[in-house]
Structures are given as structure tokens and as C-alpha cells.
Amino acid sequence: MPRRLQTISLILTLALILPIKVSAKSKHIFYKREHETCRLKLWDNFEGDEDLDYKELLLEYLKEKNYQVSTLGESRKIINGDYHLEFTWLRSGSKLFKDCSAEIKMYQSELDRARKSDPIVFEDSKQRSFPRHTPSGKERCKRAIRDATRALPHCILKK
């Protein structure tokens, strides 16, 4: 009798898990934003070598979301209606393995200059404490960046 119960519970568990995995592989985009050009300017506040690694990772994730990404120059010139994005990261904590947090703010310009007083279209921040493979925490920061950009809406060109 216990063997039969184990078999039934295993079948029920598989019946509940399989539909979830099948639906998770769907390529349908649920969260999207329509825009004329999908242009996005990235505030250039990347200074160190580690910053440049995170910049490349961020650019990769933004291109996956169908944004045409370029960096914002010192003049901060931008076309009216285009997006500009501010990215910051920070390692914190007093332990050996420090936590890493990443914050993303996406604005839509109202004038021909990028300003932090423009309306915020998207804002998200994530903090990662795990995995703890290395004390430097690069993998925690990379995962925090991935988590913060995961909720970013896909850009769909208006027709």
C-alpha cells in the first residue's frame, strides 16, 4: 500500500510540474512598450574596469529587449521623446561576502536634453546576496543586473 501511495504522489507531482515548465518556455512578450524608434541613451557614468564589464552586460540585456542603445555624451543632447537610462550599482555590507545591488531608471525626454527631471517610465532595483562563489562578488552583481533588466519592457516599433 505505501508503494502505491508513492506512485500516485509522484504522478500527481509530475502532472502539476510539467504544465508549468511548458508554459515557461513561451516566447510571447507580455510586458511591452510601443515607441517610434526604440532609441535609448545610456548615461555614461562608467569609470573603472569592473564598471565597463557591467556596461557590456547591460548593453547586451538592453539589446535583447529590442532597444537601440548608445551612450549619452557630455552635452546630453537627445531627440525629444527618446528614452535615456541611468544605471548604478553598489556593493554593501560588512561581511566577507558583500551584497550587490543594481538600480535602473528609464526616463522619456520631454525636451532635446536628457534631464533627471524627465518623467520616469521604468524603475527597478534588485539586491543579490547569493551565490557566494567568490568574495569579490562579480557574479552577484551580474545577477542583480540581470534581475533588474528582466522586468524592463520590450520595445516594439510602432507601425
Side-chain angles (χ1 to χ4, degrees), residues 2-148:
R3 188 70 145 165
R4 182 181 286 172
L5 288 175
Q6 286 178 346
T7 307
I8 291 172
S9 67
L10 179 64
I11 291 171
L12 289 175
T13 305
L14 288 175
L16 292 174
I17 292 174
L18 285 178
I20 294 171
K21 288 189 177 185
V22 171
S23 66
K25 292 187 179 190
S26 172
K27 292 285 184 181
H28 185 70
I29 300 170
F30 292 103
Y31 187 41
K32 58 189 172 189
R33 178 173 285 277
E34 290 187 355
H35 194 259
E36 289 84 18
T37 61
C38 289
R39 282 189 297 246
L40 184 134
K41 297 274 190 170
L42 184 63
W43 286 78
D44 196 11
N45 54 357
F46 302 96
E47 297 168 358
D49 292 337
E50 192 172 4
D51 280 338
L52 294 177
D53 289 342
Y54 297 149
K55 177 182 179 181
E56 292 301 319
L57 185 67
L58 182 63
L59 289 174
E60 179 184 324
Y61 289 140
L62 291 173
K63 287 178 182 176
E64 284 178 8
K65 299 286 186 169
N66 201 29
Y67 290 101
Q68 296 176 5
V69 186
S70 61
T71 56
L72 191 61
E74 288 184 23
S75 64
R76 298 188 301 181
K77 287 256 184 191
I78 193 169
I79 297 174
N80 187 5
D82 281 355
Y83 299 123
H84 54 99
L85 187 129
E86 180 185 8
F87 166 74
T88 56
W89 68 276
L90 176 68
R91 248 190 227 110
S92 60
S94 59
K95 305 170 272 191
L96 174 65
F97 295 101
K98 300 194 180 325
D99 300 340
C100 187
S101 59
E103 182 178 16
I104 292 176
K105 288 184 183 177
M106 188 168 83
Y107 304 89
Q108 188 167 13
S109 66
E110 291 181 325
L111 301 173
D112 61 348
R113 294 224 183 254
R115 302 175 306 162
K116 295 193 180 180
S117 62
D118 286 335
I120 295 176
V121 177
F122 175 80
E123 181 177 16
D124 198 10
S125 63
K126 298 293 180 186
Q127 182 174 359
R128 280 299 210 132
S129 301
F130 298 101
R132 301 204 179 246
H133 298 303
T134 61
S136 68
K138 276 192 170 184
E139 73 282 344
R140 288 186 289 284
C141 288
K142 287 179 179 180
R143 288 184 186 210
I145 294 167
R146 184 190 65 206
D147 292 347

